[in-house]
Amino acid sequence: MLLLLFLAAPSRAAEPLRLEEGCRIAADASVQLPAALPRLDRCEGRAPKDHIGTIWVDYPRMPTDLTVAKTWRLVLDNHVSSAVDVWLIGSKGPAQHYRYDPNAPDREWAAGNYLSMLVSPERPISRIVVRLADARSHTYVRAPKIARARYFVPIERDQASLYGIGVGMLALTILFHLSLFVAMRRRFQLYYCAHVGLLLIYGLSYSGIIHILWPSLTAAQNSALLGFSMTAATATGIGFVIEFLGNSTPVWLRRWAAGGAFASIAAAVVGVIVPESWSYALYMGANVIALHAILLTAGIVLRACAVRVPMASAIALAWAAPMTVSLMYPARTFGLIGDGALLDGLMMFAATIECLILSLPVASRIRNLRIEHERAHERHVMLERQAQTDALTGLANRRGFGEALARAAAGHGEPMPIALLVIDIDHFKRVNDQHGHATGDAILRHVAAHVARVAGAGAIVARHGGEEFVVALRNHDLMRAGTIAERIRVSMGVTFDTEPALPSVTVSIGVAAGFSDEVETILADADCALYRAKNEGRNKVMLADGPLMYAAAA
């Protein structure tokens, strides 16, 4: 919102004046001003777009009278050049010469990726001539601007504020979505962060802020960063769209998109390493590749909107501005629009708007994914609980009993005393046969509830199979566990007094004790004790390897 307010607010400073190019010629490096002026007057030997070398540019008409003895700031398009020479030429007197080194670490620069220098006319000026050494003609597209130095201060302040806000928003967007990636880990988040990261590099390079972070960066390196970031951004843009829209995009279109993204990355890398002699061919090729990538991405998004893919319309809205501006660059390269059609900072503005709008569907998708993740986790927990629970009695089953014991042992840190009770309903098969399975199931539920109640809150109670139950008592010795077992046995019959529809049953119990690291042995001992109790007449509690502890009255 701050960016929009800045853009909407009128500048408090006068706009700088643009110089209108009269002629551009190519010349040998040895040509000096006296020999270049007649050629510029006749516009002899115009520099073609693919020229690499010394370029002379004439600005024969001044947009205003340059006040003599006042300081003016002249800003030039930042392009590949080893040296810049500027002559202020009047009708009388010698020309004033200024030299600018675009690769000097301490050079001046202006917001908007301009080279900047101060000039002070000593006499009335009628024309300005610029010589660019080792320059690429096709990269020199923006007209120079000139304004009184004292007027330029508020202009640069406003521009620096705008670019600073844009760069800050891009940086915050990356941090926000990287933090979300740590939680959600979706591939489209990485593509999106990479896309915004490349736009951030473009913003830093275009605004000149990168010179604060990297003072030794040359003009040529800055131009390479601009070209690399914008070309590679088309690849990450395609990758993001494909991943974000998911399987709604046909396989053939996904493959086409992958090829387009690869071409963009290749063009971005090659643009940094190719020799200068190939620069114009690569420049044209990169524009073709970028045009293909932009149109392809637009086609994928529009198709998704047509088939009503969720949030595709939000992506289309977010990318309407940057795609339109991006199409203007190849259109300018191919001569379809003029150089002045692309306003300074237009791409920076479009990229910032894109990130602001696009963050909404991305955040919405992440929110939906988080909700789906939480629901999936809840379903998983429920299924795990069901897998560990006996459906009839509500107690833990054999698997749940084992995992509960393992958790208890792990939380204790070292082997802990533990006692196991193995409980079996006496003559349960006979009861089932006489009264039916429905009654048998009711008896199982009744016995399960009674055992869990008497064993206490700290006990682990499970149905071990059929009519057999097992109880784990932590920090209990054999005698104490035997007492609880007897309490379960004795009180069992009383509980059926309140259930007249159910036949009363008795239970036999085997008890064993030891430590948590020998559960299998303890369980086997308790099982043996149970069989001894059953063999000796049932309705008894038997301690492992010991005598009959308690028995019912005959």
Side-chain angles (χ1 to χ4, degrees), residues 9 70 123 172 385 475:
K70 299 295 183 181
R123 58 188 61 83
L172 288 175
R385 188 179 297 116
N475 298 312

Side-chain angles (χ1 to χ4, degrees), residues 168-197 240 244 311 352-367 369:
M169 287 182 175
L170 293 174
L172 288 175
T173 299
I174 295 172
L175 293 175
F176 174 68
H177 288 283
L178 279 179
S179 65
L180 292 178
F181 173 75
V182 173
M184 302 306 301
R185 298 187 181 278
R186 291 296 188 273
R187 189 180 301 173
F188 75 82
Q189 295 174 275
L190 285 181
Y191 277 113
Y192 183 65
C193 289
H195 180 68
V196 180
F240 166 74
F244 189 81
M311 290 180 282
T352 307
I353 293 298
E354 170 200 332
C355 290
L356 288 175
I357 299 177
L358 198 57
S359 288
L360 299 178
V362 171
S364 178
R365 170 64 61 82
I366 292 171
R367 175 179 173 274
L369 288 173

Side-chain angles (χ1 to χ4, degrees), residues 361-376:
V362 171
S364 178
R365 170 64 61 82
I366 292 171
R367 175 179 173 274
N368 293 338
L369 288 173
R370 190 192 71 236
I371 293 173
E372 291 176 7
H373 176 75
E374 290 174 352
R375 289 175 178 172

Side-chain angles (χ1 to χ4, degrees), residues 406-416 516:
R407 287 194 300 269
H412 198 269
E414 59 184 17
M416 64 177 176
S516 57

Side-chain angles (χ1 to χ4, degrees), residues 20 37 85 87 142 164 365 369 396 437 481 484 548:
E20 184 178 347
L37 285 177
D85 291 278
W87 285 273
R142 293 184 296 175
R365 170 64 61 82
L369 288 173
H437 290 286
I484 293 176
L548 178 68

Side-chain angles (χ1 to χ4, degrees), residues 18 51 102 114 120 133 174 198 237 363 428 468 499 527:
R18 292 187 178 272
H51 177 74
Y114 280 99
S120 298
I174 295 172
L198 289 167
F428 183 73
E468 189 173 279
E499 298 287 344
D527 208 39

